[in-house]
mmCIF file of all heavy atoms in Angstrom:
data_model
loop_
_atom_site.group_PDB
_atom_site.id
_atom_site.type_symbol
_atom_site.label_atom_id
_atom_site.label_comp_id
_atom_site.label_asym_id
_atom_site.label_seq_id
_atom_site.Cartn_x
_atom_site.Cartn_y
_atom_site.Cartn_z
ATOM 1 N N ILE B 290 -4.491 14.192 -37.338
ATOM 2 C CA ILE B 290 -5.241 15.371 -36.917
ATOM 3 C C ILE B 290 -4.724 16.623 -37.629
ATOM 4 O O ILE B 290 -5.505 17.420 -38.161
ATOM 5 C CB ILE B 290 -5.091 15.558 -35.394
ATOM 6 C CG1 ILE B 290 -5.693 14.384 -34.645
ATOM 7 C CG2 ILE B 290 -5.699 16.854 -34.956
ATOM 8 C CD1 ILE B 290 -7.160 14.479 -34.438
ATOM 9 N N THR B 291 -3.401 16.782 -37.651
ATOM 10 C CA THR B 291 -2.828 17.985 -38.260
ATOM 11 C C THR B 291 -3.201 18.081 -39.736
ATOM 12 O O THR B 291 -3.538 19.157 -40.236
ATOM 13 C CB THR B 291 -1.299 17.965 -38.103
ATOM 14 O OG1 THR B 291 -0.981 17.716 -36.735
ATOM 15 C CG2 THR B 291 -0.691 19.278 -38.534
ATOM 16 N N GLU B 292 -3.151 16.962 -40.421
ATOM 17 C CA GLU B 292 -3.505 16.961 -41.839
ATOM 18 C C GLU B 292 -4.965 17.353 -42.027
ATOM 19 O O GLU B 292 -5.324 18.023 -42.999
ATOM 20 C CB GLU B 292 -3.234 15.587 -42.451
ATOM 21 C CG GLU B 292 -1.751 15.307 -42.621
ATOM 22 C CD GLU B 292 -1.456 13.901 -43.116
ATOM 23 O OE1 GLU B 292 -2.404 13.184 -43.494
ATOM 24 O OE2 GLU B 292 -0.274 13.517 -43.126
ATOM 25 N N THR B 293 -5.816 16.940 -41.081
ATOM 26 C CA THR B 293 -7.222 17.305 -41.177
ATOM 27 C C THR B 293 -7.405 18.808 -40.995
ATOM 28 O O THR B 293 -8.145 19.451 -41.747
ATOM 29 C CB THR B 293 -8.045 16.551 -40.115
ATOM 30 O OG1 THR B 293 -7.731 15.170 -40.194
ATOM 31 C CG2 THR B 293 -9.523 16.735 -40.336
ATOM 32 N N VAL B 294 -6.707 19.368 -39.992
ATOM 33 C CA VAL B 294 -6.848 20.801 -39.737
ATOM 34 C C VAL B 294 -6.381 21.609 -40.945
ATOM 35 O O VAL B 294 -7.048 22.545 -41.382
ATOM 36 C CB VAL B 294 -6.020 21.220 -38.501
ATOM 37 C CG1 VAL B 294 -6.054 22.727 -38.319
ATOM 38 C CG2 VAL B 294 -6.526 20.529 -37.256
ATOM 39 N N PHE B 295 -5.240 21.229 -41.522
ATOM 40 C CA PHE B 295 -4.630 22.043 -42.567
ATOM 41 C C PHE B 295 -4.912 21.520 -43.972
ATOM 42 O O PHE B 295 -4.336 22.009 -44.935
ATOM 43 C CB PHE B 295 -3.118 22.131 -42.344
ATOM 44 C CG PHE B 295 -2.745 22.979 -41.169
ATOM 45 C CD1 PHE B 295 -2.509 22.412 -39.932
ATOM 46 C CD2 PHE B 295 -2.685 24.354 -41.297
ATOM 47 C CE1 PHE B 295 -2.181 23.189 -38.843
ATOM 48 C CE2 PHE B 295 -2.361 25.146 -40.212
ATOM 49 C CZ PHE B 295 -2.113 24.563 -38.983
ATOM 50 N N ASN B 296 -5.803 20.527 -44.061
ATOM 51 C CA ASN B 296 -6.147 19.985 -45.365
ATOM 52 C C ASN B 296 -4.882 19.565 -46.113
ATOM 53 O O ASN B 296 -4.738 19.815 -47.310
ATOM 54 C CB ASN B 296 -6.922 21.047 -46.159
ATOM 55 C CG ASN B 296 -7.776 20.419 -47.225
ATOM 56 O OD1 ASN B 296 -7.978 19.208 -47.219
ATOM 57 N ND2 ASN B 296 -8.261 21.220 -48.145
ATOM 58 N N TRP B 297 -3.972 18.977 -45.376
ATOM 59 C CA TRP B 297 -2.684 18.567 -45.917
ATOM 60 C C TRP B 297 -2.830 17.168 -46.531
ATOM 61 O O TRP B 297 -3.179 16.220 -45.828
ATOM 62 C CB TRP B 297 -1.655 18.561 -44.783
ATOM 63 C CG TRP B 297 -0.251 18.272 -45.184
ATOM 64 C CD1 TRP B 297 0.393 17.071 -45.119
ATOM 65 C CD2 TRP B 297 0.696 19.212 -45.715
ATOM 66 N NE1 TRP B 297 1.680 17.204 -45.561
ATOM 67 C CE2 TRP B 297 1.893 18.506 -45.944
ATOM 68 C CE3 TRP B 297 0.641 20.561 -46.023
ATOM 69 C CZ2 TRP B 297 3.032 19.107 -46.458
ATOM 70 C CZ3 TRP B 297 1.777 21.165 -46.529
ATOM 71 C CH2 TRP B 297 2.960 20.444 -46.744
ATOM 72 N N PRO B 298 -2.586 17.026 -47.831
ATOM 73 C CA PRO B 298 -2.960 15.780 -48.503
ATOM 74 C C PRO B 298 -2.030 14.614 -48.211
ATOM 75 O O PRO B 298 -1.318 14.135 -49.084
ATOM 76 C CB PRO B 298 -2.913 16.167 -49.976
ATOM 77 C CG PRO B 298 -1.876 17.231 -50.036
ATOM 78 C CD PRO B 298 -1.941 17.974 -48.733
ATOM 79 N N GLY B 299 -2.032 14.128 -46.982
ATOM 80 C CA GLY B 299 -1.189 12.999 -46.613
ATOM 81 C C GLY B 299 -2.022 11.764 -46.304
ATOM 82 O O GLY B 299 -3.221 11.713 -46.575
ATOM 83 N N LEU B 300 -1.356 10.785 -45.699
ATOM 84 C CA LEU B 300 -2.009 9.516 -45.363
ATOM 85 C C LEU B 300 -3.150 9.710 -44.359
ATOM 86 O O LEU B 300 -4.180 9.052 -44.450
ATOM 87 C CB LEU B 300 -0.988 8.559 -44.749
ATOM 88 C CG LEU B 300 -0.068 7.815 -45.690
ATOM 89 C CD1 LEU B 300 0.926 7.006 -44.881
ATOM 90 C CD2 LEU B 300 -0.878 6.901 -46.584
ATOM 91 N N GLY B 301 -2.935 10.611 -43.396
ATOM 92 C CA GLY B 301 -3.912 10.803 -42.336
ATOM 93 C C GLY B 301 -5.237 11.300 -42.885
ATOM 94 O O GLY B 301 -6.309 10.798 -42.525
ATOM 95 N N LEU B 302 -5.162 12.271 -43.761
ATOM 96 C CA LEU B 302 -6.380 12.818 -44.349
ATOM 97 C C LEU B 302 -7.114 11.735 -45.137
ATOM 98 O O LEU B 302 -8.337 11.609 -45.078
ATOM 99 C CB LEU B 302 -6.010 13.983 -45.271
ATOM 100 C CG LEU B 302 -7.140 14.936 -45.632
ATOM 101 C CD1 LEU B 302 -7.755 15.531 -44.392
ATOM 102 C CD2 LEU B 302 -6.619 16.046 -46.542
ATOM 103 N N ARG B 303 -6.332 10.923 -45.851
ATOM 104 C CA ARG B 303 -6.942 9.839 -46.617
ATOM 105 C C ARG B 303 -7.569 8.806 -45.690
ATOM 106 O O ARG B 303 -8.629 8.263 -45.988
ATOM 107 C CB ARG B 303 -5.889 9.195 -47.524
ATOM 108 C CG ARG B 303 -6.451 8.117 -48.402
ATOM 109 C CD ARG B 303 -5.802 8.057 -49.761
ATOM 110 N NE ARG B 303 -6.399 8.992 -50.698
ATOM 111 C CZ ARG B 303 -5.906 9.236 -51.916
ATOM 112 N NH1 ARG B 303 -4.826 8.627 -52.315
ATOM 113 N NH2 ARG B 303 -6.504 10.095 -52.707
ATOM 114 N N LEU B 304 -6.931 8.571 -44.542
ATOM 115 C CA LEU B 304 -7.484 7.612 -43.576
ATOM 116 C C LEU B 304 -8.836 8.097 -43.058
ATOM 117 O O LEU B 304 -9.788 7.319 -42.960
ATOM 118 C CB LEU B 304 -6.511 7.418 -42.405
ATOM 119 C CG LEU B 304 -6.986 6.486 -41.286
ATOM 120 C CD1 LEU B 304 -7.119 5.055 -41.781
ATOM 121 C CD2 LEU B 304 -6.047 6.529 -40.092
ATOM 122 N N ILE B 305 -8.911 9.393 -42.747
ATOM 123 C CA ILE B 305 -10.173 9.943 -42.246
ATOM 124 C C ILE B 305 -11.256 9.830 -43.323
ATOM 125 O O ILE B 305 -12.397 9.451 -43.045
ATOM 126 C CB ILE B 305 -9.984 11.423 -41.812
ATOM 127 C CG1 ILE B 305 -8.991 11.538 -40.662
ATOM 128 C CG2 ILE B 305 -11.310 12.047 -41.418
ATOM 129 C CD1 ILE B 305 -9.432 10.849 -39.396
ATOM 130 N N ASP B 306 -10.891 10.137 -44.567
ATOM 131 C CA ASP B 306 -11.852 9.989 -45.671
ATOM 132 C C ASP B 306 -12.334 8.542 -45.776
ATOM 133 O O ASP B 306 -13.518 8.278 -45.931
ATOM 134 C CB ASP B 306 -11.209 10.402 -47.003
ATOM 135 C CG ASP B 306 -10.957 11.902 -47.051
ATOM 136 O OD1 ASP B 306 -11.547 12.613 -46.206
ATOM 137 O OD2 ASP B 306 -10.177 12.351 -47.911
ATOM 138 N N ALA B 307 -11.373 7.603 -45.696
ATOM 139 C CA ALA B 307 -11.717 6.186 -45.833
ATOM 140 C C ALA B 307 -12.626 5.743 -44.695
ATOM 141 O O ALA B 307 -13.580 4.985 -44.905
ATOM 142 C CB ALA B 307 -10.443 5.340 -45.853
ATOM 143 N N LEU B 308 -12.350 6.240 -43.473
ATOM 144 C CA LEU B 308 -13.176 5.888 -42.320
ATOM 145 C C LEU B 308 -14.601 6.385 -42.501
ATOM 146 O O LEU B 308 -15.550 5.684 -42.182
ATOM 147 C CB LEU B 308 -12.601 6.537 -41.059
ATOM 148 C CG LEU B 308 -11.598 5.749 -40.260
ATOM 149 C CD1 LEU B 308 -10.870 6.669 -39.310
ATOM 150 C CD2 LEU B 308 -12.313 4.656 -39.482
ATOM 151 N N GLY B 309 -14.730 7.587 -43.024
ATOM 152 C CA GLY B 309 -16.048 8.192 -43.193
ATOM 153 C C GLY B 309 -16.952 7.353 -44.081
ATOM 154 O O GLY B 309 -18.162 7.294 -43.858
ATOM 155 N N VAL B 310 -16.381 6.697 -45.099
ATOM 156 C CA VAL B 310 -17.206 5.896 -46.014
ATOM 157 C C VAL B 310 -17.002 4.398 -45.793
ATOM 158 O O VAL B 310 -17.450 3.578 -46.583
ATOM 159 C CB VAL B 310 -16.913 6.259 -47.493
ATOM 160 C CG1 VAL B 310 -17.344 7.681 -47.778
ATOM 161 C CG2 VAL B 310 -15.437 6.071 -47.823
#
Side-chain angles (χ1 to χ4, degrees):
Chain B
I290 297 277
T291 309
E292 287 175 9
T293 310
V294 174
F295 289 95
N296 203 13
W297 185 263
L300 280 176
L302 198 58
R303 183 145 275 172
L304 177 66
I305 297 297
D306 291 344
L308 269 164
V310 294

